[in-house]
Amino acid sequence: MPGFCRYPSAGVYQTPKDTPNATTQPTTTSSTCTASLLIERPTFPGQPLQSAITLKKTKSNMKEGKTLTEIAAELHRQKSNMRDFIAPTQQLTLEHPELRVSDKGYFPVTDHAHSQIAGHLKIPKGYYDRLRSTPELLNRNVNHWLSQREGEKRLVRTLDGNARALLSERYRPFDNYQVALNSLEALKAADCRVASCEVTSRRFYLKAVSNRIETEVKKGDVVQAGVVISNSEVGSGSLRVEPLIYSLICDNGMISADSSYRRPHIGSALTSKNSGAIEFFTDETREASDQVVFLQVRDIVAATMTDTGFEQLVERFAASQEKRLEADAFETVELLRKNESLAESEGKGILASLLRGEDSDTLFGLVNAVTDYSKKVESYDRATELERLGGKLLEGAGYAA
């Protein structure tokens, strides 16, 4: 395998001189000012997200999200419109389509929050969804079970006046605004460029690629080291840092679970002497504890963007070229669809990508087919799940020998 290529940086992002259309992009010094980084918490000196954007976002055929400027604006908007409450479960009342939080107000319930209410109260989701067409019956069921939860408290997270999550009082929020701010600083230090980013109703994503570390996985197929940083504010997953292989020729991203960092949103109970519902604000102790986590994220990003970890991942990817699929393309994709609960349309799309490629009889081809199809799905969340599936397939269990 050709050696790894690193390009020294001296205040500029560099591309190899023999690369067509190579450019150098100077960095800019970000300004520092006083800003509130936490919604409805005391302000403290810090760097606002907008001024932290000194990284370039390159044009990519990966699943596109927002521009960095749009992400900064949206996260700032959300930061200014979120409110959190800790309330005894017995002081929560569903008056469909709204949730009443004691004396704090009425909040329309999102689909995601409805699924969490159903899960917490152990009401089968299918039955719960049918009840939504008969509000009185839904209210009666939900409020009965809420009233039985004596001594229990829940964290209600709202955004734009909507109840977007109903979580345990032990849930530890890491707000996307702070995750983005700290991640951009870490990526700048690691000399990366942003390939794709998005914030959905469930998660925040930042996908970046190294300007310095790349190699060929096969002749003419150059791949670069990358990293995916993601977070959920609504209980849809941990704060995660995951290695990424980015293919220049295919413009695909494959996410590996190897050496990934996950920080669950679990902490000590958000206790209060108040017997009623209270609005939750992050105190200085929690802010300091959160900063420890963000420092860990920076360390993991730096460790991910090294030759050693990337080389090990690329060697496995290159080896998949020699692993022949145990069945033909049609049977393999059908097995994959059943094993991974893929939609029929997803199976058809992956099969089409596999048959178009040069390696339709190898595990390498199957991995590339899955990540290629990920660019075509509408949902950014789903596209990322398929990029992770590509990394999972490198194990080859059940598909290749």
Side-chain angles (χ1 to χ4, degrees):
M1 183 186 299
F4 287 79
C5 183
R6 294 181 66 93
Y7 304 104
S9 174
V12 295
Y13 297 138
Q14 300 179 332
T15 54
K17 294 181 180 179
D18 57 349
T19 300
N21 302 320
T23 60
T24 59
Q25 301 168 326
T27 63
T28 59
T29 302
S30 56
S31 61
T32 302
C33 65
T34 299
S36 173
L37 298 184
L38 292 171
I39 177 59
E40 301 195 32
R41 295 143 171 110
T43 62
F44 59 95
Q47 184 185 50
L49 182 55
Q50 286 87 341
S51 67
I53 299 177
T54 59
L55 294 180
K56 296 293 185 181
K57 182 174 185 293
T58 57
K59 181 62 178 176
S60 165
N61 286 328
M62 289 178 68
K63 181 65 178 179
E64 282 291 327
K66 295 179 174 62
T67 66
L68 275 174
T69 301
E70 290 170 339
I71 284 288
E74 175 59 16
L75 293 183
H76 187 272
R77 186 199 70 77
Q78 291 186 8
K79 179 177 73 73
S80 302
N81 290 278
M82 63 172 64
R83 297 175 70 192
D84 295 333
F85 304 94
I86 303 169
T89 306
Q90 292 177 319
Q91 294 187 22
L92 299 176
T93 307
L94 183 65
E95 299 181 19
H96 188 62
E98 296 177 321
L99 179 69
R100 179 185 176 187
V101 182
S102 186
D103 60 347
K104 301 302 179 181
Y106 293 79
F107 304 91
V109 183
T110 65
D111 289 341
H112 181 72
H114 271 301
S115 67
Q116 290 177 325
I117 293 172
H120 178 58
L121 300 179
K122 295 181 172 55
I123 300 174
K125 186 61 167 56
Y127 177 62
Y128 186 100
D129 288 341
R130 290 197 299 273
L131 289 178
R132 291 177 64 178
S133 62
T134 54
E136 289 186 6
L137 188 56
L138 175 63
N139 293 342
R140 192 179 311 131
N141 273 266
V142 169
N143 293 331
H144 169 76
W145 293 113
L146 287 174
S147 68
Q148 303 302 304
R149 302 278 177 154
E150 186 175 356
E152 180 185 84
K153 293 183 179 180
R154 304 299 287 175
L155 173 63
V156 181
R157 308 209 76 188
T158 75
L159 176 64
D160 299 326
N162 297 308
R164 57 177 178 152
L166 186 75
L167 301 160
S168 164
E169 64 174 327
R170 294 179 61 85
Y171 186 84
R172 180 177 177 180
F174 297 125
D175 289 343
N176 291 334
Y177 187 88
Q178 284 203 26
V179 171
L181 179 59
N182 284 273
S183 297
L184 286 172
E185 293 174 353
L187 293 172
K188 178 182 177 182
D191 193 13
C192 296
R193 66 186 184 276
V194 175
S196 181
C197 51
E198 183 60 287
V199 57
T200 70
S201 62
R202 293 174 51 205
R203 295 190 68 86
F204 162 71
Y205 302 91
L206 194 56
K207 302 176 183 179
V209 179
S210 173
N211 289 304
R212 298 178 292 128
I213 306 175
E214 67 178 36
T215 191
E216 286 185 324
V217 71
K218 68 176 185 177
K219 185 66 174 179
D221 191 347
V222 178
V223 293
Q224 296 179 319
V227 65
V228 179
I229 302 167
S230 59
N231 180 59
S232 176
E233 296 181 331
V234 294
S236 288
S238 305
L239 169 59
R240 303 170 72 167
V241 181
E242 302 166 288
L244 171 76
I245 285 184
Y246 180 71
S247 170
L248 293 181
I249 190 172
C250 300
D251 231 349
N252 296 345
M254 181 193 73
I255 301 173
S256 171
D258 288 359
S259 304
S260 62
Y261 168 87
R262 297 187 184 188
R263 180 57 173 84
H265 293 263
I266 299 174
S268 57
L270 305 172
T271 57
S272 169
K273 295 179 180 179
N274 194 316
S275 60
I278 62 168
E279 190 158 0
F280 168 68
F281 301 92
T282 297
D283 59 24
E284 292 181 1
T285 300
R286 192 170 296 275
E287 287 171 0
S289 180
D290 288 352
Q291 194 57 37
V292 171
V293 173
F294 294 134
L295 288 174
Q296 291 175 342
V297 168
R298 294 189 190 188
D299 289 343
I300 296 298
V301 169
T304 300
M305 306 304 286
T306 61
D307 291 322
T308 302
F310 179 58
E311 183 176 3
Q312 292 173 350
L313 185 55
V314 170
E315 285 177 352
R316 290 173 53 208
F317 192 29
S320 69
Q321 298 173 75
E322 306 302 322
K323 295 184 177 181
R324 300 294 169 185
L325 297 178
E326 295 179 347
D328 64 27
F330 295 90
E331 293 179 3
T332 298
V333 172
E334 180 60 18
L335 178 62
L336 176 66
R337 190 180 72 81
K338 291 180 179 178
N339 288 346
E340 301 297 334
S341 301
L342 303 179
E344 184 175 349
S345 60
E346 293 176 330
K348 290 180 178 179
I350 292 171
L351 178 61
S353 293
L354 180 59
L355 294 176
R356 281 197 304 269
E358 299 177 353
D359 305 280
S360 60
D361 61 342
T362 69
L363 182 61
F364 183 82
L366 181 62
V367 170
N368 278 318
V370 171
T371 56
D372 177 68
Y373 177 70
S374 73
K375 301 182 296 189
K376 302 177 177 63
V377 301
E378 182 176 352
S379 164
Y380 197 98
D381 290 313
R382 186 56 178 159
T384 304
E385 290 170 355
L386 290 170
E387 289 169 351
R388 287 196 183 103
L389 176 58
K392 177 183 177 181
L393 286 174
L394 273 188
E395 301 301 326
Y399 302 101

